[in-house]
Amino acid sequence: MVEGSSNNIMENSPQTPNEKSPDYNCSIKNQPQPHANVGVRMRTSLRKYMSFVGPGLLISVAYMDPGNYATGITAGASNRYSLLFFVFLSNIIAIFLQSLCIKLGSVTGYDLARCCREYLPRWLNIILWILAECAIIATDVAEVIGSAIALNILLKVPLPAGVVITIVDVLFVLAAYRNDTSSTKFVKMFEYAVGLLVMAVVICFAIELSQIHANAAQVFRGFVPSKEMFDDGGMTIATSIIGSTVMIHSLFLGSGLVQPRLREYDVVHGHVNLNDLYDNSSDEDEKAAAKSKRDVEADYFYHKYKPSYQSIKYSLKYSIIELTLTLLTLALFVNSAILIVAGSSLYDTPEAVDADLYTIHYLLSKNLAPVVGTIFMLALLFSGQSAGIVCTIAGQIVSEGHINWTVKPWMRRLITRAISIIPCLIISLCIGRNGLSTALNVSQIVISILLPPLTAPLIYFTCKKTIMKVELPEEMNTEGIKGIVEDKDTKKRYKYLGNNWITAVIAVLIWLFISVLNVYAIVDMAMHGVQ
């Protein structure tokens, strides 16, 4: 009986080909190949990631602007490599805050300034708008001064003329940038153009590093906390490093740059039907109709659009990954390179501590080689111009978001730029080199002081459930999705995407850390003056 059962099983079981069977190779080919599937998934993920490359490049510009140059040189000249830890820490803080910005912009469909207008009392929104405008102007002053000094050193352009020339980047923004529709074509072209300037800065500092002789072990040891950090006023300089790296305008920028890709996804996947919007237009003239389509689309996305849950799920993770990789590579590299160059060539050089940009150029040219000083100024020029472009966009986001300024975009950008250029022009004409250096230092102090009050709304918004929620479609299968709540009155389902308690605690601790550093910087400034 057992034998019969055995034979029966053998007869009914499928025959497995052996190595000599002609069907063996065919059988192997038809079997799923796990390695091939992994390769396909990797290629798909890489293509998806590449479609998100761009916003991180624009944001990274804020972390390598002219304000970072003088601070990095002072840190290297006074403490050698020990303050590299604070360069790394400031980048981690920046990544965390920028991730909150991406989250806020993705879930609400609004930038940080618009959220202030929508969700805060009018009086508080006006106060925050004034503070934000001061921060934008102070940031723009630093970009203008850096570019003007670089032009003066490289091309012998007089300082007043250099200040005026910096308006060129505004003309570029006026011509190229518009992000209020569902198409990301021109937005991506603009992002890549700014990315070229960023890569030029990276190349300049790669050349700088090739010209110095530094002990690699000492350099990498600088990224670890040590007692040397406290020598020679190290904590004061560390405060300046964090203040010049975690820039306010980048928070407004980061919360606004994520939206074009959300809109494009919703249009491509049918969550937003543009034809229905266009059909409501009654224009008869073809040219007028074409113009009205763009305006109708922009009006819808500004006043009525909310990102779908599908678009948020599609883009949120990749947007944060793209930002993290960009800041941890390009921005961290540039800021570290500035300090390493100074630490290897200007350490124990009294003139380099708190030196202005002219003195830095002179010392690098003298201690290393003239080409090193020239390349440093070339990097400063690229940084100043790219940072000026990004700051102009941030100024537009602030004015549109906080007060819904209805002036045409080109006029807004021109006014924002003029506000920063006029004081710099007056200083360069009346005071000259020393005046510009002092203005650069003061601008960094203003930015640092304004950081705590302008980051508080970001933490508040991303922790508030009523703001950080997204409506789910009725036909959507929500099985397996956690955190869904149904409104008893409307029967609508919502997914909450606010900060969990761990993220909220980290955000508050970072805010307190930045606030304490700012109080320390103010006390130090009162005791020793503006450095």
Side-chain angles (χ1 to χ4, degrees), residues 202-316:
V202 172
I203 291 171
C204 286
F205 277 104
I207 297 172
E208 294 271 285
L209 291 176
S210 69
Q211 300 297 311
I212 65 173
H213 301 285
N215 186 306
Q218 290 181 349
V219 170
F220 285 107
R221 197 178 300 124
F223 288 101
V224 180
S226 63
K227 62 180 181 180
E228 286 80 9
M229 297 188 309
F230 300 92
D231 297 339
D232 301 317
M235 287 300 98
T236 302
I237 302 171
T239 303
S240 301
I241 291 174
I242 294 177
S244 63
T245 302
V246 185
M247 302 294 282
I248 296 170
H249 72 290
S250 66
L251 303 179
F252 295 99
L253 194 68
S255 58
L257 292 176
V258 297
Q259 283 138 34
R261 286 166 174 81
L262 293 166
R263 297 168 187 158
E264 184 179 60
Y265 179 93
D266 279 337
V267 170
V268 170
H269 291 82
H271 302 298
V272 173
N273 192 327
L274 294 180
N275 290 326
D276 289 345
L277 300 177
Y278 299 152
D279 290 342
N280 295 328
S281 176
S282 59
D283 295 278
E284 298 179 358
D285 181 74
E286 186 176 348
K287 185 176 180 181
K291 181 181 179 182
S292 69
K293 283 183 178 181
R294 185 182 66 181
D295 293 337
V296 166
E297 186 178 344
D299 181 72
Y300 168 79
F301 281 120
Y302 187 80
H303 292 100
K304 299 178 182 179
Y305 171 72
K306 285 287 187 180
S308 67
Y309 174 73
Q310 294 90 329
S311 67
I312 297 170
K313 185 178 178 182
Y314 172 82
S315 67
L316 184 59

Side-chain angles (χ1 to χ4, degrees), residues 60-107:
S60 70
V61 169
Y63 301 101
M64 54 179 81
D65 74 337
N68 296 73
Y69 283 66
T71 303
I73 291 293
T74 298
S78 60
N79 295 71
R80 206 161 200 174
Y81 311 122
S82 64
L83 294 179
L84 281 170
F85 168 72
F86 283 96
V87 173
F88 177 74
L89 179 64
S90 62
N91 272 266
I92 296 299
I93 293 174
I95 289 171
F96 182 85
L97 293 177
Q98 289 295 159
S99 297
L100 293 186
C101 290
I102 290 174
K103 195 174 183 180
L104 179 67
S106 298
V107 175

